[in-house]
Amino acid sequence: MPAVRVEMLTVPECPNGPVLEERLAVVLADRPGVEVLHRVVEDQGAAGRLGMRGSPTLLVDGIDPFAAPGTPTSVSCRLYRTADGRVDGAPSVEELRRVLGQSGTPAAADPSTGPAGRGGRGRLAPVEGGHRAVQQAVLRSFAVVGRAPEAADLDRVTRPYGVPAAQVLAELAAEDFLTLDETGRIRAAYPFLATETDHVVHIAGGSSVWAMCAIDALGIPVMLGRDADITSTDPVTGRPIRVEFTGGRARWQPASAVVSHGVRAAGGPAASACCGYLRFFTDRATAAHWIEARPGLSGEILTQTQAERLGTAIFGPLLTTGIEQPG
């Protein structure tokens, strides 16, 4: 079974801490090798840094699987709602088994099911009507020359399908595979943006491109199967953040860096609903402060591993899955 990091956060002398500890012992009896790290949190600052949303809080691989999106950090007493509607001071054994199952995956909402991953439908365009052929042509153009292809080049791509490129682009935009400006030109094709952002990706042997968000930037090296150097800036401190991809492995600077995963309550396409809120931060405390300062924003903080996995899940298949030529 995959390794799982389990942390229990409590305030001093929390009466429900021993309850959670006992129930964890029952669940982990058949999970040898899983250790629980206990942390005592004494002030709000520490709660923000560690992600404690009341005492006791359980973190599984850095995620609180029992917290609703947007729940603020707190040193107050925490209550849990059971499956039958009762209130308890700790998750039940059944709920703990659910989040600490054999997969080791927390039951918190999978970020790839949000706008960044097109509501769980993924970002790989369908083959029909030349949609995937155009999507892949656009992505390859950004990767090689740093910009979207010319209209004539896309018309050649769609000619075998018997449809004009402008029609395919409009349909791709309607399904949130890319965005267009008022003239119909490509403004963005997830993960690339045609205009300047804080997230710059220098592709080894290729171009330097702007990514729409932190997750998009992390997905570019995986999507292309290339080494790359990502540079960005913490929006709170202004400090630089760098992620170097070499041979499929990432090295983060600073080592404490994290990624916010925020979603605007109003919804809409990813470009407006979440891209501005998927950002690099130098540490968890700075990210928590930034999220909490934005009313109406549902957010969580992703570890480096979680952010890399999300980028891979969303963008990894985009250029490795082929197309079928018509007739």
Side-chain angles (χ1 to χ4, degrees):
M1 289 181 280
V4 181
R5 190 178 80 257
V6 181
E7 299 173 82
M8 196 175 97
L9 311 179
T10 60
V11 297
E13 300 181 0
C14 172
N16 291 317
V19 177
L20 176 56
E21 189 172 3
E22 179 180 350
R23 293 175 182 175
L24 277 172
V26 172
V27 174
L28 295 176
D30 58 351
R31 295 287 305 269
V34 176
E35 297 182 358
V36 180
L37 176 63
H38 298 263
R39 294 182 185 271
V40 177
V41 180
E42 298 187 348
D43 56 58
Q44 181 60 43
R49 289 193 302 272
L50 296 172
M52 186 173 91
R53 294 171 172 82
S55 180
T57 284
L58 183 73
L59 300 179
V60 183
D61 285 340
I63 292 178
D64 183 341
F66 299 104
T71 303
T73 56
S74 170
V75 291
S76 62
C77 183
R78 181 168 178 174
L79 298 176
Y80 292 80
R81 185 74 62 178
T82 64
D84 59 6
R86 294 182 297 106
V87 172
D88 200 351
S92 68
V93 170
E94 290 73 19
E95 290 169 322
L96 291 170
R97 282 185 172 136
R98 176 171 58 85
V99 302
L100 291 166
Q102 289 189 348
S103 67
T105 302
D110 180 355
S112 67
T113 64
R118 292 185 67 251
R121 294 171 293 168
R123 292 222 160 267
L124 181 63
V127 172
E128 293 78 16
H131 291 82
R132 187 176 301 172
V134 168
Q135 180 192 37
Q136 293 184 343
V138 171
L139 295 179
R140 290 192 175 99
S141 179
F142 270 106
V144 174
V145 298
R147 63 179 184 272
E150 299 297 328
D153 295 327
L154 289 179
D155 279 330
R156 284 192 287 271
V157 173
T158 61
R159 189 172 298 131
Y161 298 89
V163 290
Q167 176 183 326
V168 177
L169 288 174
E171 292 167 351
L172 288 171
E175 291 298 320
D176 198 29
F177 290 105
L178 49 77
T179 68
L180 304 174
D181 64 19
E182 61 278 359
T183 68
R185 293 180 62 86
I186 298 170
R187 177 188 290 121
Y190 305 96
F192 300 111
L193 189 65
T195 55
E196 185 174 353
T197 71
D198 291 336
H199 319 294
V200 182
V201 184
H202 306 279
I203 304 166
S207 60
S208 293
V209 295
W210 292 302
M212 296 188 71
C213 67
I215 297 301
D216 290 30
L218 294 170
I220 288 173
V222 180
M223 180 182 72
L224 300 177
R226 305 266 284 280
D227 292 347
D229 190 1
I230 301 169
T231 57
S232 189
T233 305
D234 186 314
V236 176
T237 66
R239 289 179 57 193
I241 296 166
R242 184 177 182 182
V243 186
E244 298 175 87
F245 274 85
T246 306
R249 298 179 65 86
R251 179 173 175 265
W252 294 59
Q253 297 175 319
S256 59
V258 296
V259 171
S260 66
H261 181 267
V263 179
R264 193 186 61 175
S272 58
C274 68
C275 279
Y277 312 116
L278 306 180
R279 303 190 64 110
F280 292 102
F281 290 87
T282 52
D283 55 49
R284 177 175 289 273
T286 306
H289 173 77
W290 187 85
I291 292 172
E292 291 170 5
R294 282 156 179 76
L297 180 66
S298 298
E300 61 181 322
I301 301 170
L302 303 181
T303 65
Q304 295 173 9
T305 298
Q306 291 164 348
E308 290 173 31
R309 287 175 178 170
L310 182 56
T312 298
I314 294 175
F315 298 106
L318 297 197
L319 292 177
T320 58
T321 307
I323 61 175
E324 296 178 5
Q325 294 294 339

